Amino acid sequence: MCGRWRRGSRAGPAGAGPRGAEYGPQTRTPAQREEAKAAELSAAGMPTGAVTVRRMRARCRQDGVRGLVDHRATRPRTALGRANERVVAAVREVLEAGRERSSGTLGRLRVHTERLLAEQYGQGVVPLPSSATFNRLAHALADGRGLLDSARQRRWRSARPAPPFVPTTVMAPGELVMTDSTVLDAFVVLDDGVVERPELTIALDVATRTTARPCCARKEAAASTRRSCRHR
């Protein structure tokens, strides 16, 4: 394949290689040797043409054995595939602009994207892919961001504030204690004779994932308990 014949010649470097009169550089031209190799591979159950042999020889001369590898298996893949970057940018722009619009379909998204590409680059300069490919691209860009949800869901997602908390690493017990309180749906008679709905307060140690003993108290005492836990 790489031109490594038994004897050196102008057609390829010296070295061990396929033997036989059909591969002799002194009696066969490169085209004849390529046809012989194609016939040999076809007879072995791998249908091959002389043009393929010529192309593989050129790759082997340039990149060595690595040039013979099918690079389709090593080509990096992304969720967007091999989509045109201008089409990707246009779909993103249309999706972002449609956050506040009424619920639409993928067909409407395609129409708006085609219209935007015509305005930016001219009519027919940047063609859209097939409907199936376009739909996969739209889902790859919109899924996880809610851009293809209903209008109500999109408005809710865009109006939702960013979460105020950040991930916290806690190693030692008692380093971070989370507390929560809720008013019980029941009335009790307190020690001073007052009938009131008490608050149930619970404390959770984040490092050990253990809970402290829950306690019930009137609202003022529960608030004091929470403050003491925060300042501990």
Side-chain angles (χ1 to χ4, degrees):
M1 291 289 289
C2 298
R4 297 181 179 275
W5 317 109
R6 290 195 64 195
R7 297 183 300 277
S9 68
R10 295 173 62 89
R19 302 183 181 185
E22 65 272 21
Y23 297 114
Q26 302 298 333
T27 59
R28 298 287 181 174
T29 64
Q32 290 174 329
R33 296 198 299 270
E34 290 164 357
E35 291 176 358
K37 173 54 70 175
E40 178 186 343
L41 292 173
S42 298
M46 295 179 290
T48 309
V51 175
T52 302
V53 175
R54 186 178 305 116
R55 184 173 63 251
M56 300 302 287
R57 283 188 63 193
R59 290 180 179 177
C60 187
R61 286 176 182 274
Q62 180 179 354
D63 301 323
V65 178
R66 185 178 181 276
L68 304 178
V69 177
D70 186 355
H71 293 286
R72 291 177 297 179
T74 60
R75 186 180 301 152
R77 298 182 179 181
T78 64
L80 304 180
R82 291 178 289 177
N84 190 316
E85 294 181 358
R86 292 178 291 185
V87 175
V88 173
V91 174
R92 280 201 178 105
E93 185 174 343
V94 174
L95 285 172
E96 291 293 340
R99 283 184 181 272
E100 301 300 325
R101 293 178 182 171
S102 60
S103 303
T105 63
L106 290 173
R108 188 180 76 173
L109 175 64
R110 181 183 178 89
V111 171
H112 288 179
T113 303
E114 188 174 15
R115 188 178 303 165
L116 178 61
L117 289 172
E119 294 175 356
Q120 294 178 341
Y121 305 104
Q123 187 68 34
V125 175
V126 183
L128 288 178
S130 65
S131 297
T133 303
F134 180 85
N135 294 345
R136 287 195 298 269
L137 175 62
H139 280 289
L141 293 172
D143 289 352
R145 302 173 60 192
L147 297 179
L148 290 179
D149 294 340
S150 65
R152 180 178 181 181
Q153 290 172 324
R154 282 186 275 113
R155 285 193 293 267
W156 173 81
R157 188 183 292 270
S158 61
R160 185 177 59 180
F165 306 108
V166 296
T168 303
T169 302
V170 180
M171 304 299 294
E175 182 179 353
L176 178 62
V177 178
M178 301 176 65
T179 62
D180 189 24
S181 296
T182 182
V183 179
L184 294 181
D185 190 16
F187 289 92
V188 298
V189 180
L190 302 179
D191 295 337
D192 55 3
V194 177
V195 177
E196 190 176 281
R197 293 174 61 186
E199 276 196 356
L200 174 65
T201 301
I202 189 172
L204 172 67
D205 181 69
V206 177
T208 61
R209 292 294 192 271
T210 57
T211 57
R213 180 180 179 182
C215 62
C216 289
R218 61 173 57 191
K219 297 179 181 179
E220 295 79 4
S224 176
T225 301
R226 290 196 297 272
R227 287 194 298 268
S228 64
C229 288
R230 284 198 297 266
H231 296 292
R232 181 175 296 178

